């Protein structure tokens, strides 16, 4: 069998270009002892992948040049040389950006295709969902009655953060997004109390209008002007959970930091970075609490699905542009 897989040819400078990548045909590797061969059904494309395309030191290793990239994926086991996993099982793993993946079975997590759509294990019930849950409740130390501001609020993580805050008793939830369509979605479908299109004005002014009494928790997916505005609106004892800074991922020069950090002294505010890998101990609690919300319709989700492994790069670039609503996945 031949496999179609995406390779990184050169490290992007600024915005990634198509010539930085190649869709390559390669033979499917047969599984060795303790390994499985999986036909991928859905691939995940996420903002953090832009960082892995750079050689800069980070919290995870960069993609290797001339080799297949990795990412979250869910698929069906075709062959297995491992105990506990059989052909026909569905597994979650990190052998994405390709049609078939061969890897050690210990790197696979079995999922129930009958309990939820397979794609949800990459989003609302997967890593993005846990990121939202842990970032709001643990890093953001959310408590009932808090006012919460979420940037990138129509994305996979942001939309779940806002809804969990509402379900947990937030006094007010505010979201920012990059289009009027997304703003409408946040308020009418996801239940945000207010939302604004950050492209229509100065973020600090738009936030003040939406949250005149300030914010207690800010969940940051964007950075830049949004972070500075949130610091300016932070209430006494406010917390900021920094999940991502998509506004600066393609910058070729260092982005200036917020100019109002001194305000943290007045508010006794706290900024803390968030990596989901530090919070996998919350996975059982997360699934136990969130799965019933999804089943009952109390927590809603959207997916932007791109068809075909050959369109994985375009799906990823769409995430960087903010084209997606909810979790962006590729249906292989």
């Amino acid at each position: 069998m031949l496999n179609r897989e995406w390779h990184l040819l050169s490290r992007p400078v600024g915005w990634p270009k198509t010539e930085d990548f190649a869709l390559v045909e390669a033979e499917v590797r047969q599984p060795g002892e303790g390994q499985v061969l999986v036909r991928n059904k859905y691939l995940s494309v996420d903002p953090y992948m832009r960082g892995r395309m750079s050689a800069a030191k980070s919290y995870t290793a960069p993609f290797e040049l001339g080799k297949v990239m990795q990412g979250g994926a869910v698929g069906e086991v075709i062959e297995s040389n491992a105990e506990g996993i059989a052909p026909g099982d569905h597994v979650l793993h990190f052998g994405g950006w390709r049609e078939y993946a061969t890897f050690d079975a210990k790197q696979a997590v079995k999922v129930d295709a009958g309990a939820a759509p397979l794609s949800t294990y990459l989003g609302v019930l997967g890593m993005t969902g846990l990121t939202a849950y842990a970032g709001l409740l643990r890093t953001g130390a959310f408590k009932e009655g808090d006012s919460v501001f979420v940037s990138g609020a129509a994305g996979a993580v942001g939309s779940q953060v806002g809804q969990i805050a509402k379900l947990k008793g937030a006094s007010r939830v505010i979201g920012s997004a990059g289009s009027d369509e997304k703003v409408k979605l946040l308020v009418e479908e996801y239940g945000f109390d207010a939302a604004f299109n950050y492209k229509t004005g100065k973020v600090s002014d738009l936030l003040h209008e939406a949250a005149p009494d300030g914010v207690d928790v800010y969940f940051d997916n964007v950075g830049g002007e949004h972070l500075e505005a949130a610091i300016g609106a932070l209430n006494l004892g406010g917390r900021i959970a920094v999940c991502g800074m998509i506004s600066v991922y393609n910058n070729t020069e260092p982005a200036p930091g917020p100019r109002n950090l001194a305000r943290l002294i007045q508010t006794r505010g706290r900024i803390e970075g968030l990596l989901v890998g530090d919070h996998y101990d919350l996975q059982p609690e997360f699934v136990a609490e969130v799965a019933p919300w999804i089943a009952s319709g109390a927590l809603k989700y959207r997916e932007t699905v791109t068809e075909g492994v050959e369109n994985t790069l375009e799906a990823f670039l769409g995430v960087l542009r903010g084209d997606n609503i909810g979790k962006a996945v590729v249906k292989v």
Side-chain angles (χ1 to χ4, degrees):
M1 291 188 298
L2 286 179
N3 198 10
R4 288 187 295 171
E5 54 187 41
W6 282 95
H7 289 203
L8 183 67
L9 300 184
S10 57
R11 302 204 180 278
V13 177
W15 193 268
K17 301 179 292 295
T18 55
E19 53 264 36
D20 294 324
F21 309 84
L23 183 61
V24 176
E25 284 192 348
E27 285 192 11
V28 173
R29 185 166 57 86
Q30 294 303 302
E33 186 67 29
Q35 293 189 323
V36 293
L37 168 62
V38 175
R39 178 191 292 123
N40 286 330
K41 299 289 189 180
Y42 290 92
L43 312 178
S44 180
V45 284
D46 303 282
Y48 82 87
M49 294 172 173
R50 176 61 184 87
R52 295 197 66 188
M53 294 171 188
S54 168
K57 186 176 180 181
S58 184
Y59 59 87
T60 188
F63 293 132
E64 294 184 61
L65 293 180
K67 294 187 178 181
V68 62
M69 296 185 289
Q70 300 93 36
V74 63
E76 181 183 355
V77 176
I78 305 303
E79 295 182 33
S80 175
N81 285 328
E83 289 186 12
I85 297 182
D89 286 344
H90 291 88
V91 296
L92 177 68
H93 61 96
F94 278 90
W97 288 77
R98 71 200 85 182
E99 291 177 300
Y100 295 88
T102 304
F103 52 90
D104 292 342
K106 62 185 178 182
Q107 298 171 350
V109 176
K110 285 205 290 187
V111 297
D112 186 353
L118 282 176
S119 58
T120 63
Y121 292 104
L122 296 174
V124 69
L125 280 177
M127 185 175 70
T128 52
L130 180 60
T131 300
Y133 188 86
L136 176 68
L137 302 181
R138 179 175 279 174
T139 308
F142 171 85
K143 59 184 183 297
E144 186 176 354
D146 278 344
S147 173
V148 178
F149 171 43
V150 188
S151 59
V157 174
S159 59
Q160 206 159 339
V161 171
Q163 291 183 83
I164 292 172
K166 289 293 292 184
L167 289 163
K168 288 282 195 178
S171 61
R172 188 167 178 80
V173 174
I174 305 100
S176 75
S179 72
D180 293 340
E181 176 193 8
K182 291 180 179 180
V183 166
K184 184 178 180 181
L185 174 71
L186 292 175
V187 175
E188 295 185 1
E189 184 168 333
Y190 293 154
F192 282 58
D193 296 291
F196 59 83
N197 181 348
Y198 69 86
K199 296 178 181 177
T200 63
K202 190 176 179 182
V203 176
S204 57
D205 294 339
L206 295 167
L207 178 58
H208 178 72
E209 182 179 348
D213 296 322
V215 297
D216 301 299
V217 178
Y218 170 49
F219 195 102
D220 189 16
N221 290 305
V222 175
E225 188 183 356
H226 278 79
L227 178 57
E228 184 167 292
I231 293 172
L234 209 61
N235 289 331
L236 188 67
R239 288 85 65 202
I240 295 175
V242 180
C243 177
M245 292 192 173
I246 198 169
S247 69
V248 303
Y249 286 168
N250 292 308
N251 287 5
T252 56
E253 298 292 335
R259 297 166 295 181
N260 57 348
L261 284 173
R263 194 166 188 280
L264 294 175
I265 301 169
Q266 304 164 24
T267 62
R268 277 76 100 196
R270 173 171 60 84
I271 301 178
E272 184 175 341
L274 162 67
L275 283 179
V276 68
D278 296 334
H279 303 283
Y280 282 129
D281 62 297
L282 289 178
Q283 180 76 22
E285 175 187 325
F286 158 68
V287 173
E289 186 161 24
V290 173
W293 287 340
I294 295 169
S296 69
L299 194 151
K300 300 174 175 60
Y301 69 95
R302 292 279 193 99
E303 294 176 332
T304 297
V305 181
T306 300
E307 298 272 352
V309 69
E310 68 275 9
N311 295 314
T312 304
L313 176 59
E314 181 54 35
F316 168 71
L317 295 176
V319 170
L320 296 185
R321 291 191 299 262
D323 294 348
N324 60 300
I325 295 178
K327 182 73 186 80
V329 297
V330 175
K331 185 177 181 181
V332 180

